[in-house]
Amino acid sequence: MRYDEYRAHDAVGLARLVAEKQVHPTELLEVALARCAQVDPGLNAISLLMEQAGRARAAGPLDGPFAGVPFLVKDLLQDFAGYPTASGTRPLQAIPAESHSLIVRRWLDSGLVIFGKTTTPEFGIKAFTETSTYGATRNPWHLGRTPGGSSGGSAAAVAAGVVPMAGGNDGGGSIRIPAAWSGLFGLKPGRGLLPCGPGGGDYLHGLATEGVLSRSVRDTAAMLDVLAGPDPGARYYHARPDHVFTEAVRQSPRRLRIAVAYESPIGSAVHDEAIRAVEQTAALLEQLGHHIDYAAPEFDGRQLAFDFATVWMAHAAVTLDRTRQLTGASECEFDFDTRALAAAGRAVPAHELVAAYERWNDYTRALAALHADHDLMLTPTVAEPPPRVGRTATPAAIELLTGPLLGLGAGRVLTRNRVFREFLFANMTSVPFTPLANITGRPAMSVPLYRTPDGLPLGSQFVGAPGSEYLLLQLAAELEAARPWAQLEPPEPEPAHGQVRIAR
């Protein structure tokens, strides 16, 4: 099979070719590996190439709806037995997972051929995939730009045509942000729909969920049918939905009432291109017969940002300390941003953490009030076109001034320091729209309907009420049919320095 033939099919299409014996899984894998060798030195999307495991699996008997389709998992939470889940950090690179995570088992049961892991920022704590361990991951649409994060490697690999779909997870926008900046479809399922065990339970107090990034809506729909269903060991029981998600892409949605909000919930600037992306999406919705209102949920956005950051800081502290206990690594072996967040997180008093978590109820009820009158809310996914690589790096002056404090364990100083708090806030200005769906546990998606005048993708976000994944998929399929995007391809990357870690 030639690459252009491979790229012309989504995952569902490739699985059909395998089922009809028009192509063998080993052929598909070889095309994927060749494409990876061609583009990844410039993209840095793959953190670990599991070539031997992929070839062995492709050669063996396979069954399931995605039998024979090449696939990449994210190097965070998605454990593959015998291979490390490095989570973007050097200390975990040499520790193999003892067993598959539940989501990986379901992927394998579906017949996917997993042959590698994709890059992520350290512990997935940033919206930009740049680490001291793996370097910067680059956007196939412009190598000087970021694909976002934390599922940035998956987004870059899918956009560049290495695989039609790849694993991701989303704790504050980590599926939707890179989808928006990489020209992909990204759906964050609602809380509890997909399993996340057995190594963890309610990741980030329920902020995080597993998922995929894809070029086609039907791939994501078919993947929800594979993944949805209860985890017997989870804290909460979430029954498998009665409906079949793949049916959603064949059914037009009813005429919907959609609230449109342009303004950043934290009061920061929104780029004109991000506004145009939503304006064009709203105009298309009206052409399709949907009703548009201009409305937003009422809550204190800056307080939401700090309540969100409080939980992230506490989580960073627990994750860093657990990793050090497991590996014996010293604090200085981790990225500065991770160490700063962890230091602040260790100093968060228990009552402040609980208060921040309890205020999530206020934001959830504000969004529920909006959904009482509207089926969905439409916003920009991100507040600007993809930033340049390195733009969000911690300024050297801040690292120089703050570094000694970290060594002294002065996390309390950080949490009370206005400059540090404003620095945390500033890092959310590019991505202020996505955390609300995580805090409230609502399903949300980014749809790639817009390109800037210089050709950069910029997605629009829809946030639904609980259990609205089926409706979101219906609307996404309608938008995809009205303004197709899967055939759009980024320019071929030029050769660049970089390497892929290969596990033989």
Side-chain angles (χ1 to χ4, degrees):
M1 172 176 273
R2 301 191 313 269
Y3 170 70
D4 61 334
E5 297 172 319
Y6 175 80
R7 175 60 174 78
H9 294 84
D10 62 2
V12 170
L14 291 176
R16 183 178 297 122
L17 294 180
V18 172
E20 295 173 351
K21 301 189 184 309
Q22 296 185 45
V23 66
H24 193 273
T26 56
E27 296 177 69
L28 297 182
L29 179 60
E30 291 307 316
V31 175
L33 288 169
R35 183 63 175 173
C36 178
Q38 178 188 0
V39 303
D40 196 59
L43 296 176
N44 190 30
I46 315 297
S47 60
L48 183 65
L49 190 63
M50 300 155 46
E51 185 176 338
Q52 183 176 353
R55 284 205 165 101
R57 182 163 172 80
L62 294 169
D63 191 23
F66 288 109
V69 177
F71 191 75
L72 296 165
V73 299
K74 183 178 177 179
D75 195 21
L76 180 70
L77 305 179
Q78 298 173 0
D79 295 339
F80 193 105
Y83 291 89
T85 301
S87 303
T89 189
R90 184 171 286 105
L92 290 175
Q93 285 181 336
I95 300 179
E98 295 181 358
S99 60
H100 298 318
S101 61
L102 183 52
I103 194 166
V104 169
R105 289 205 299 268
R106 291 187 181 180
W107 278 329
L108 292 172
D109 289 344
S110 76
L112 288 166
V113 175
I114 296 173
F115 68 97
K117 295 197 159 197
T118 60
T119 50
T120 181
E122 193 168 68
F123 303 124
I125 63 172
K126 295 190 295 187
F128 309 93
T129 305
E130 301 174 18
T131 70
S132 61
T133 299
Y134 292 102
T137 298
R138 297 176 180 272
N139 194 321
W141 291 92
H142 189 302
L143 293 182
R145 307 276 181 160
T146 179
S150 63
S151 306
S154 291
V158 174
V162 177
V163 287
M165 176 172 56
N169 34 53
D170 191 316
S174 290
I175 287 174
R176 290 159 290 153
I177 292 165
W181 280 335
S182 303
L184 303 175
F185 178 65
L187 172 69
K188 181 198 83 70
R191 186 170 295 153
L193 181 66
L194 304 189
C196 61
D202 244 3
Y203 289 129
L204 283 166
H205 282 53
L207 286 175
T209 182
E210 302 285 9
V212 295
L213 294 98
S214 65
R215 290 199 305 264
S216 74
V217 176
R218 72 173 184 173
D219 275 0
T220 293
M223 187 54 74
L224 283 187
D225 285 328
V226 165
L227 298 177
D231 170 9
R235 299 180 200 176
Y236 311 109
Y237 180 81
H238 196 297
R240 184 178 178 85
D242 294 332
H243 44 249
V244 178
F245 288 110
T246 48
E247 293 178 355
V249 301
R250 296 189 287 269
Q251 298 175 357
S252 297
R254 67 183 188 277
R255 298 308 89 187
L256 303 175
R257 188 179 184 91
I258 299 173
V260 180
Y262 298 128
E263 293 186 0
S264 165
I266 60 176
S268 52
V270 179
H271 197 284
D272 289 345
E273 290 300 321
I275 295 174
R276 285 193 194 96
V278 172
E279 288 176 338
Q280 288 197 11
T281 300
L284 178 58
L285 290 167
E286 289 184 314
Q287 292 172 20
L288 295 170
H290 301 292
H291 179 79
I292 298 298
D293 286 330
Y294 291 87
E298 297 181 3
F299 56 82
D300 184 339
R302 286 184 68 91
Q303 185 64 57
L304 179 148
F306 288 126
D307 290 341
F308 177 79
T310 296
V311 172
W312 268 98
M313 289 188 296
H315 173 75
V318 171
T319 302
L320 182 58
D321 291 346
R322 183 189 297 129
T323 303
R324 290 191 62 194
Q325 291 171 6
L326 176 66
T327 64
S330 65
E331 186 100 359
C332 65
E333 293 182 62
F334 300 90
D335 288 359
F336 172 80
D337 290 350
T338 304
R339 291 186 285 123
L341 284 178
R346 294 186 195 105
V348 173
H351 70 277
E352 289 189 10
L353 178 62
V354 171
Y357 179 62
E358 288 190 345
R359 278 191 294 271
W360 289 9
N361 178 64
D362 300 335
Y363 315 130
T364 303
R365 293 188 179 277
L367 183 57
L370 182 78
H371 280 140
D373 298 318
H374 300 86
D375 296 292
L376 302 171
M377 179 174 70
L378 167 63
T379 74
T381 307
V382 288
E384 61 176 321
R388 293 193 174 276
V389 169
R391 195 198 76 183
T392 60
T394 302
I398 291 181
E399 187 168 344
L400 181 65
L401 292 172
T402 310
L405 294 176
L406 302 183
L408 295 172
R412 188 69 176 172
V413 176
L414 288 178
T415 61
R416 297 302 180 219
N417 184 276
R418 182 184 61 82
V419 174
F420 178 74
R421 288 172 67 87
E422 288 302 314
F423 176 69
L424 286 176
F425 176 75
N427 273 275
M428 293 184 67
T429 57
S430 293
V431 291
F433 297 99
T434 51
L436 177 63
N438 298 88
I439 284 176
T440 61
R442 271 44 177 175
M445 66 181 182
S446 182
V447 184
L449 295 172
Y450 185 74
R451 296 293 188 276
T452 66
D454 50 356
L456 297 176
L458 203 52
S460 295
Q461 176 182 237
F462 292 88
V463 181
S468 62
E469 289 88 354
Y470 194 92
L471 178 63
L472 287 167
L473 289 168
Q474 282 183 304
L475 179 61
E478 183 180 47
L479 294 170
E480 182 183 36
R483 192 172 295 167
W485 58 72
Q487 81 286 358
L488 301 175
E489 295 186 59
E492 287 295 298
E494 297 177 1
H497 296 292
Q499 66 178 35
V500 177
R501 289 191 64 246
I502 300 178
R504 299 290 183 184

